[in-house]
Amino acid sequence: MNRTQLVAQIQQKKSYLCVGLDTDITKLPKHLQSHPDAVFEFNKAIIDATKDHCVSYKINTAFYESQGLKGWEVMEKTVQYIPETHFRIADAKRGDIGNTSSQYAKTFFEIFPFDAVTVAPYMGEDSVRPFLDYTDKWTIVLGLTSNAGSNDFQQLAIRHGITETRLYEKVLEKVSSWGTPSNLMFVVGATRASDLEHIRTIIPEHFLLVPGVGAQGGSLKDVSNYGLIKDCGLLVNASRAVIFAGGGEDFADQAKIAAAQYQTEMATYL
């Protein structure tokens, strides 16, 4: 999916909601737990219930890889089930030397029909380049995350004479030169929404994938206020707040209500 197609979906639906399919098998509703294909049945119901209110789905691959071969099969069936109109993200946080990254890129862009994959930039350009070489695919690079450990490295001060910058700022600046706003996004956590205003001075045109709204306490209003650009430029992810909005047999209905609430609020900001 290219940028024009993604923006068209956002404008059509008045939504920049990404639903995170972080499907924890231990949290499935009781009536599904004995189903032989419980995770896929859950995912199908969530997708059917939310697809009119979101423009993207993000599959956190860890929840599937941890289930072995069965989990990989469920992940493949899930991404195949997501409508092609929706932007499909593999939240895999890959990144390695070039020939290994080439195999990761092949996995998520050829074997699986994902539109984007999250990538860690620590090993430099040659670890990211294989993902960027695909046409109409997106590389989503970790920029400024919202976990406590981001202080260990991302917030480190770098001094140049009397000038001081943070490591994450250098990462954003450097990585943005490797691709374009049409094939490169950045992850910026919602719990650091006030940093978005500054981040937009470094990468004013790139799309941002923003996790942390909902269960992690991020403010959709603040994220939208600081992060929106002319053609939106945001995908705001909500996972637990949508897919586990209800824990009973009406879980899909509750997920639909939660997604619709996000979409309604987003429409007021666009």
Side-chain angles (χ1 to χ4, degrees):
M1 179 179 291
N2 62 37
R3 185 173 180 129
T4 300
Q5 293 167 326
L6 175 58
V7 172
Q9 285 296 311
I10 291 170
Q11 293 174 339
Q12 177 184 327
K13 292 183 176 177
K14 302 271 189 246
S15 173
Y16 40 100
L17 176 63
C18 173
V19 172
L21 295 173
D22 302 356
T23 308
D24 186 340
I25 196 169
T26 67
K27 295 181 179 179
L28 297 183
K30 289 183 179 180
H31 74 284
L32 281 181
Q33 289 179 1
S34 60
H35 193 285
D37 205 1
V39 172
F40 183 55
E41 288 300 307
F42 178 87
N43 286 349
K44 281 202 307 180
I46 293 292
I47 293 166
D48 288 341
T50 61
K51 62 185 179 183
D52 291 339
H53 304 289
C54 69
V55 296
S56 177
Y57 290 96
K58 180 175 72 67
I59 294 179
N60 189 319
T61 62
F63 289 91
Y64 301 84
E65 293 170 306
S66 64
Q67 300 301 311
L69 177 60
K70 175 69 173 178
W72 280 93
E73 292 172 343
V74 171
M75 182 167 66
E76 182 173 19
K77 289 192 293 185
T78 298
V79 70
Q80 293 280 5
Y81 191 76
I82 296 170
E84 292 185 2
T85 51
H86 288 63
F87 192 72
R88 297 165 292 185
I89 301 170
D91 189 3
K93 299 180 179 70
R94 296 302 200 261
D96 207 330
I97 59 174
N99 61 340
T100 307
S101 277
S102 294
Q103 297 303 310
Y104 285 139
K106 180 178 180 180
T107 298
F108 295 107
F109 291 156
E110 295 184 37
I111 305 303
F112 293 91
F114 285 102
D115 297 295
V117 61
T118 56
V119 173
Y122 193 76
M123 292 184 69
E125 182 176 2
D126 59 330
S127 70
V128 177
R129 178 59 53 192
F131 299 94
L132 291 168
D133 284 342
Y134 279 80
T135 301
D136 289 342
K137 300 291 187 179
W138 294 74
T139 305
I140 307 178
V141 175
L142 299 178
L144 179 60
T145 59
S146 55
N147 60 305
S150 69
N151 289 321
D152 292 338
F153 299 114
Q154 297 169 33
Q155 297 282 358
L156 284 178
I158 302 172
R159 293 187 180 276
H160 300 277
I162 62 171
T163 304
E164 181 177 289
T165 60
R166 302 290 174 178
L167 179 57
Y168 84 85
E169 296 172 305
K170 298 298 292 184
V171 169
L172 295 176
E173 181 182 349
K174 184 70 173 179
V175 175
S176 66
S177 71
W178 299 343
T180 73
S182 295
N183 70 352
L184 185 61
M185 297 187 189
F186 291 91
V187 175
V188 178
T191 54
R192 298 184 183 276
S194 59
D195 292 326
L196 282 169
E197 185 174 24
H198 174 61
I199 286 170
R200 276 303 187 201
T201 67
I202 304 171
I203 45 172
E205 298 180 1
H206 288 78
F207 260 81
L208 305 178
L209 173 63
V210 185
V213 167
Q216 295 183 50
S219 164
L220 176 58
K221 180 179 180 180
D222 288 345
V223 167
S224 302
N225 181 47
Y226 293 117
L228 281 171
I229 57 176
K230 181 175 62 176
D231 62 356
C232 182
L234 288 178
L235 289 175
V236 173
N237 182 79
S239 299
R240 288 170 289 170
V242 172
I243 69 174
F244 296 128
E249 294 190 15
D250 66 341
F251 73 94
D253 292 333
Q254 295 301 313
K256 182 175 183 177
I257 291 170
Q261 289 173 339
Y262 280 115
Q263 184 276 321
T264 298
E265 184 178 352
M266 287 174 176
T268 67
Y269 302 136
L270 285 172

